[in-house]
Amino acid sequence: MSTTFPRTGKKTRGYSVSEVEKFLATARGAYDESDATAALTAEQIRGMAFSMTKNGYSPEHVDAALERLEDAFAARERAQALAQAGTQAWAEKAQADSEVITARLRRDAGHRFSRVSFLSLGYNRADVDRFAGRVVKYFDNDFPLTVDDVRGAVFRPQRGGYREVQVDAVLDGVVEVMLAVR
């Protein structure tokens, strides 16, 4: 029986133990480069999802570990890119990525992302717009904002709200730029 993370209990759902263990084995092989077939990136780690099962691993503990793992892979990817392309090229790419993100987030309030139909739930537009303002201030004026703030951003549901997939993709881009310039 594995004890990598606390379990949720027999009546509570958590992440599938076998899926998490399999992913962690793949991540170990990819990170220490002992498994040539296990190519893994920080972006793939950020998008990782597991099935929910009773008596599974505690999602909060696994998510925290995935965030640390993503940080480690991002730092390694940054070091490799700096060694290959140089500091100037790396900084230019991060700058270009941040400009794409801020261009989207500077759109008019209520129009930064496409909306779901009025009958469907999306992210609350006012919540997202408010957070978008914080992100723009971060990029423009070094407003205090951390990777954890972005990862932990929560938006209320709203009928006719912003399309979640689009908002999440931009937030992933923000995390990627923030990790790149650490």
Side-chain angles (χ1 to χ4, degrees):
M1 181 169 139
S2 176
T3 58
T4 306
F5 299 101
R7 304 288 278 265
T8 58
K10 294 181 181 181
K11 294 183 180 183
T12 308
R13 295 167 61 87
Y15 290 150
S16 165
V17 172
S18 61
E19 289 178 19
V20 171
E21 291 294 333
K22 182 178 176 183
F23 175 76
L24 291 177
T26 300
R28 268 186 223 101
Y31 191 77
D32 65 16
E33 298 175 347
S34 62
D35 183 357
T37 64
L40 194 59
T41 66
E43 182 179 357
Q44 290 170 316
I45 294 167
R46 190 177 323 112
M48 195 63 218
F50 304 105
S51 301
M52 300 294 283
T53 61
K54 289 185 179 180
N55 197 31
Y57 281 147
S58 163
E60 66 186 30
H61 289 90
V62 174
D63 289 345
L66 289 177
E67 289 171 1
R68 291 188 302 274
L69 190 61
E70 177 189 358
D71 291 347
F73 272 76
R76 187 175 75 172
E77 290 166 14
R78 179 178 190 261
Q80 289 171 344
L82 286 171
Q84 290 175 355
T87 304
Q88 182 69 23
W90 182 258
E92 288 172 0
K93 181 186 181 320
Q95 178 66 31
D97 290 348
S98 71
E99 288 172 3
V100 169
I101 291 167
T102 55
R104 162 148 328 245
L105 298 181
R106 283 191 176 100
R107 293 179 181 175
D108 292 336
H111 301 283
R112 290 186 170 104
F113 300 93
S114 65
R115 295 179 180 181
V116 297
S117 77
F118 182 72
L119 299 175
S120 299
L121 290 174
Y123 287 146
N124 181 281
R125 292 185 308 274
D127 291 353
V128 173
D129 289 342
R130 194 171 16 266
F131 192 75
R134 289 181 61 197
V135 173
V136 170
K137 287 180 188 176
Y138 166 81
F139 284 119
D140 288 350
N141 306 320
D142 291 327
F143 182 80
L145 187 70
T146 67
V147 171
D148 289 336
D149 293 336
V150 178
R151 286 177 175 153
V154 177
F155 310 111
R156 294 173 294 168
Q158 177 185 23
R159 291 204 181 278
Y162 284 140
R163 192 169 302 281
E164 294 176 10
V165 173
Q166 284 186 337
V167 174
D168 291 345
V170 169
L171 292 180
D172 285 348
V174 171
V175 168
E176 192 172 316
V177 170
M178 292 175 87
L179 290 176
V181 297
R182 265 191 176 170

